[in-house]
Amino acid sequence: MLLLSGCGEQYVQTTLAPKSDFGWMIQNLLILIVILAAIVFVVVEGVLIYAIFRFRGRPGAPLPNQVHGNTRLEIAWTIVPVVILVIIAVPTVQTIFAAAEVPTDAMNVRVVGRQWWWEVHYNDLNITSANELVVPVGQKVSIDLESADVIHSFWIPQMGGKRDVVPNHVNNLWFTPEKTGVYYGQCAEYCGTSHANMRFRLVVVTQDEFDNWVKTQQVPATPTTEEAKRGAEVFAQSACVGCHTIDGTAAKGTSGPNLSHVGSRKALAGGIMDNTPENMARWLKDPPGVKPGSLMPNLNLSDSDISALVAYLESLK
Ligand code: CUA
């Protein structure tokens, strides 16, 4: 009962509540195998328990009838497992091939694993983002996975499947999200100090919302308030520009996340915290304190510069 209580809630990273065709392929296999395994378990344990009680030694009982071999039984317990394994093998192999197929009718994105965040490129739309993949519901998405440093693993449990992200090699993962919502992902291969902080969000929206999102992302965002404009100056004069790109400005660095529309994202710092002004300030004050091993150093910014930077970055919608 204690173990079963773990199934009582819809956890955000559950693998048992698929929300995509790919997830269902795997779920259906799992259900088939669990049912077959349960039948085998009940039959084998049932016969075992029956034999233990029916044939147990009793005081004074004579020696049981001594037999050797039973051809019929032996044929049966060879054939039955073969049939069960075939029933499992056929759909399993079919699913492996279907899962490995690289679709041609899908929206293509490129996701690059980096220590410890994810870079997202919409090649056809000329959009670069980080730690967040926005896609329209019902649209098959094909993700080419690359690594800029070590081996990572890309995993959004509710979409199903998990793919290693390997340097100098492109792996592919596809799925069709079937329900709008925000789904949590996680790097699933140990990749260094902040492996656990290498998270990801999949944002599934309606086609209209997606079209609007694309339009906004393709135009450089500009700061409006005085504080945000001051933040833009602080940004331009600090080390930030060496690592980050902000469209429409002189910042063209590529070793850190593209911040052109960072204000529109749901999460910060490899997806570990919600994108709020408070969290942004916390992050800017001491990145390695928030994400151990972070390649973004502590720039020892003054509180006043941090508050201007927060205003600026949050205005980049
Ligand atoms: Cu990247 Cu673990």
Side-chain angles (χ1 to χ4, degrees):
M1 288 307 287
L2 198 63
L3 288 175
L4 283 175
S5 68
C7 310
E9 219 177 292
Q10 290 276 312
Y11 297 100
V12 291
Q13 289 194 327
T14 178
T15 53
L16 298 174
K19 296 287 187 302
S20 80
D21 48 356
F22 193 107
W24 275 111
M25 284 191 332
I26 294 165
Q27 179 85 342
N28 290 336
L29 258 189
L30 176 72
I31 291 171
L32 172 73
I33 292 170
V34 167
I35 290 174
L36 288 172
I39 294 172
V40 170
F41 179 81
V42 168
V43 169
V44 171
E45 295 303 304
V47 171
L48 178 69
I49 290 168
Y50 172 77
I52 287 172
F53 286 98
R54 174 75 179 74
F55 302 111
R56 76 180 188 276
R58 292 181 175 87
L63 195 65
N65 187 20
Q66 299 296 300
V67 295
H68 178 262
N70 183 321
T71 312
R72 262 198 232 165
L73 263 183
E74 285 173 16
I75 289 174
W77 69 50
T78 303
I79 289 179
V80 171
V82 166
V83 171
I84 292 174
L85 287 180
V86 168
I87 294 175
I88 291 174
V90 171
T92 300
V93 172
Q94 278 173 344
T95 304
I96 290 171
F97 276 96
E101 207 167 301
V102 179
T104 49
D105 56 341
M107 182 175 101
N108 186 260
V109 292
R110 197 159 62 88
V111 172
V112 184
R114 291 166 170 265
Q115 285 173 313
W116 290 276
W117 56 283
W118 301 96
E119 191 165 45
V120 179
H121 298 276
Y122 294 77
N123 298 331
D124 305 335
L125 301 171
N126 201 19
I127 295 171
T128 302
S129 184
N131 305 315
E132 197 163 298
L133 179 58
V134 180
V135 293
V137 68
Q139 160 78 56
K140 191 186 269 188
V141 42
S142 165
I143 307 175
D144 287 330
L145 295 159
E146 293 171 29
S147 170
D149 36 52
V150 300
I151 300 179
H152 304 275
S153 181
F154 185 81
W155 191 32
I156 307 168
Q158 288 198 276
M159 294 299 126
K162 186 195 279 178
R163 282 280 189 276
D164 274 0
V165 179
V166 184
N168 300 315
H169 179 80
V170 181
N171 273 339
N172 181 275
L173 178 71
W174 64 266
F175 52 77
T176 315
E178 57 188 29
K179 203 163 171 287
T180 56
V182 178
Y183 303 95
Y184 288 71
Q186 172 74 50
C187 178
E189 177 77 47
Y190 181 72
C191 55
T193 311
S194 267
H195 157 66
N197 294 324
M198 188 169 168
R199 301 181 206 164
F200 191 79
R201 294 191 199 189
L202 173 75
V203 184
V204 182
V205 295
T206 62
Q207 186 67 48
D208 283 350
E209 285 168 333
F210 181 74
D211 294 341
N212 281 332
W213 178 84
V214 169
K215 269 184 221 143
T216 334
Q217 297 283 313
Q218 286 174 335
V219 182
T222 44
T224 44
T225 66
E226 284 310 310
E227 180 76 339
K229 284 179 187 157
R230 189 167 76 81
E233 283 166 26
V234 174
F235 192 94
Q237 287 157 15
S238 73
C240 313
V241 293
C243 297
H244 297 283
T245 292
I246 293 183
D247 291 346
T249 76
K252 299 276 181 251
T254 52
S255 55
N258 183 312
L259 300 177
S260 300
H261 294 277
V262 64
S264 71
R265 294 178 202 155
K266 297 212 177 311
L268 296 176
I272 57 176
M273 48 194 186
D274 288 335
N275 185 3
T276 64
E278 295 74 34
N279 283 339
M280 180 74 90
R282 222 180 107 218
W283 171 250
L284 292 174
K285 196 156 182 64
D286 183 14
V290 175
K291 191 158 73 168
S294 158
L295 294 185
M296 174 157 158
N298 185 339
L299 296 174
N300 294 311
L301 298 159
S302 69
D303 285 346
S304 135
D305 282 355
I306 288 178
S307 107
L309 282 171
V310 169
Y312 174 47
L313 295 171
E314 293 294 345
S315 76
L316 300 176
K317 299 279 186 195

